[in-house]
Each structure stands twice: as C-alpha cells, then as structure tokens.
C-alpha cells in the first residue's frame, strides 16, 4: 500500500504562483506519477505525468509551459510548480501513482491522494 498526501494548495491571484507537494509513503522511484485536477462543475482532468525513470514530465495543453513536475527520490516527494496561474486553474488537485514505467490521462492509477484546493482569483 502506498499513501499519497498532497499539500501546498491555497488562494492566489491570477498571474501568481503556487507549489504543490505530494508526499509518497514509499518507493517513489518505482512508480509513474501524475497530477489531476477537478474544477467546480467540471470533470476531473489530467494535468501531467512524470514517468518512472524520467526527469522531464508530460503535460496537458492548458498547462504546458506554466506547470512543472519534479520528483525528490530521497524524501519521496512529488512537486508541481505552477506559474502564471489563471482563474481556470482553480480546482482540487490530486496526485496519483501507479507501479509501472509510464502513465498518462488514460492510465488506471492504483493510488490517489485526498487532494489539495487551489483557488485563483482575479
């Protein structure tokens, strides 16, 4: 069993930045990791993935060039740095993990966190 705990959410003005963290209970290097989000009245959408042996993530078009994922294998922490935030980035952000090399929006993730709320205002 792997537990995921997100933190770092909050309220920020449009154009600002936030850094989310996802603490992975164990073996972060053995998993493909991803972030998802769900805005008010919207379906959950994939934000990006970080493959098991990669340091460069893959991102959804709406966040490409603004969001960056990284992995700290010593402390078992997945980070999502978000810049130039837009009102439409508002939502609950979830990290997810699966014990395989690669993952994307269509992957069946084994582990999910409880989420952290991000609110972007004008």
């Amino acid at each position: 069993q792997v537990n995921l705990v997100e933190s770092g959410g909050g309220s920020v003005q449009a154009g600002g930045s936030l850094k989310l963290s996802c603490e992975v209970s164990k073996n972060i290097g053995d998993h493909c990791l991803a972030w998802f989000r769900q805005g008010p009245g919207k379906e959950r959408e994939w934000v990006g993935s970080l493959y098991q042996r990669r340091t460069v993530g893959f991102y959804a078009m709406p966040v490409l060039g603004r969001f960056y994922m990284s992995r700290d294998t010593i402390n078992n922490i997945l980070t999502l740095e978000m810049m130039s935030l837009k009102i439409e980035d508002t939502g609950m952000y979830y990290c997810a993990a699966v014990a395989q090399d690669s993952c994307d929006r269509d992957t069946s993730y084994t582990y999910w966190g409880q989420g952290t709320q991000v609110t972007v205002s004008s």
Side-chain angles (χ1 to χ4, degrees), residues 67-82:
F67 288 16
Y68 297 92
M69 297 174 64
S70 60
R71 174 176 47 221
D72 178 347
T73 56
I74 295 176
N75 296 301
N76 280 339
I77 295 175
L78 171 69
T79 298
L80 178 66
E81 295 191 65
M82 306 184 295

Side-chain angles (χ1 to χ4, degrees), residues 37-39 41-45:
R37 68 185 182 185
Q38 187 167 15
K42 299 180 181 179
E43 292 188 354
R44 185 175 64 193
E45 66 172 340

Side-chain angles (χ1 to χ4, degrees), residues 14 32 42 59 69 71 87 100 103 117:
C32 188
K42 299 180 181 179
Y59 303 94
M69 297 174 64
R71 174 176 47 221
I87 292 175
Q100 58 190 50
C103 55
Q117 177 68 35

Side-chain angles (χ1 to χ4, degrees), residues 5-108:
V5 180
E6 302 94 337
S7 62
S11 297
V12 64
Q13 287 192 319
S17 302
L18 274 178
K19 185 168 79 171
L20 306 184
S21 296
C22 174
E23 186 173 344
V24 182
S25 62
K26 61 181 178 181
N27 304 333
I28 192 172
D30 295 339
H31 293 80
C32 188
L33 306 164
W35 286 95
F36 285 79
R37 68 185 182 185
Q38 187 167 15
K42 299 180 181 179
E43 292 188 354
R44 185 175 64 193
E45 66 172 340
W46 173 76
V47 172
S49 295
L50 186 59
Y51 289 7
Q52 193 181 92
R53 297 181 181 85
R54 298 277 187 96
T55 58
V56 177
F58 298 88
Y59 303 94
M61 284 301 296
V63 307
L64 187 63
R66 300 188 297 120
F67 288 16
Y68 297 92
M69 297 174 64
S70 60
R71 174 176 47 221
D72 178 347
T73 56
I74 295 176
N75 296 301
N76 280 339
I77 295 175
L78 171 69
T79 298
L80 178 66
E81 295 191 65
M82 306 184 295
M83 296 173 284
S84 302
L85 283 162
K86 304 176 181 180
I87 292 175
E88 52 264 40
D89 293 320
T90 294
M92 187 71 78
Y93 282 70
Y94 302 89
C95 61
V98 60
Q100 58 190 50
D101 289 343
S102 62
C103 55
D104 59 21
R105 58 171 51 86
D106 297 320
T107 299
S108 294

